[in-house]
Amino acid sequence: MEAKKEFLRMINECDEIALATSIHDFPNVRIVNYYYDEKNNVMYFATYTGREKISEFWKNNNVSFTTIPVNKGKREHIRARGHVRESEKSIIDLRDEFSNKMADFAEIIDKYSKELKVYEIKFSEVTVTLDSRYYEKVNLQ
């Protein structure tokens, strides 16, 4: 089993992550849709302006995330830690990528593009978990 190949399969199959932030030792987690840019090793997600997570990013840009398992019976997923920042790209710049990954997202983008901000997570290592006995760390640099 090649862990990097499994990482790419899972990151492309899944369309949601549980994104965790922490402010003053109080963790907070939420589910977000994303698009992963393999070439640049960047995960993009959009959020509505004024959301609580945005102020959390400004206070502490260290985040962690895990994919939500597609096959609930297998529980395979990836986990990573990284740094989040507001992206220079807009949701319109990434419209095709998001809507190719999630068919109904194009409608959301078309309707709410002025209210959506794009953020990106940079990370260099992931843990790929296939089952309760097998996991492997993968360096992405």
Side-chain angles (χ1 to χ4, degrees):
M1 196 286 302
E2 186 182 321
K4 180 154 187 188
K5 183 178 175 183
E6 291 297 317
F7 159 71
L8 291 173
R9 177 184 62 78
M10 282 188 263
I11 201 85
N12 289 312
E13 282 179 2
C14 296
D15 59 8
E16 295 178 318
I17 58 169
L19 176 65
T21 58
S22 180
I23 303 299
H24 306 296
D25 295 327
F26 286 98
N28 197 1
V29 67
R30 73 271 293 155
I31 305 298
V32 297
N33 298 96
Y34 69 90
Y35 157 69
Y36 176 68
D37 178 350
E38 179 183 350
K39 180 180 168 190
N40 297 305
N41 190 42
V42 176
M43 180 177 289
Y44 295 98
F45 65 93
T47 190
Y48 292 97
T49 56
R51 296 295 170 130
E52 180 182 29
K53 64 181 155 280
I54 295 172
S55 65
E56 292 176 1
F57 299 156
W58 287 107
K59 293 174 186 171
N60 181 359
N61 74 336
N62 296 310
V63 296
S64 64
F65 66 87
T66 183
T67 52
I68 308 297
V70 175
N71 181 339
K72 303 292 186 205
K74 286 185 88 176
R75 301 287 218 187
E76 60 185 20
H77 62 280
I78 62 163
R79 296 181 291 126
R81 288 181 232 173
H83 303 286
V84 66
R85 69 178 186 143
E86 188 172 339
S87 182
E88 294 178 5
K89 297 188 180 211
S90 74
I91 195 66
I92 299 299
D93 295 335
L94 297 170
R95 184 186 188 280
D96 290 343
E97 289 83 352
F98 271 99
S99 52
N100 286 340
K101 187 166 179 87
M102 298 155 287
D104 60 339
F105 215 77
E107 186 177 315
I108 293 167
I109 292 170
D110 292 343
K111 194 170 183 178
Y112 301 107
S113 65
K114 292 187 186 332
E115 299 171 44
L116 291 167
K117 289 277 189 198
V118 175
Y119 287 81
E120 58 187 56
I121 303 171
K122 298 241 183 194
F123 54 100
S124 59
E125 183 179 87
V126 296
T127 300
V128 177
T129 301
L130 293 181
D131 60 39
S132 61
R133 295 180 305 168
Y134 181 83
Y135 69 92
E136 186 175 329
K137 290 187 187 268
V138 177
N139 189 322
L140 299 173
Q141 295 195 356

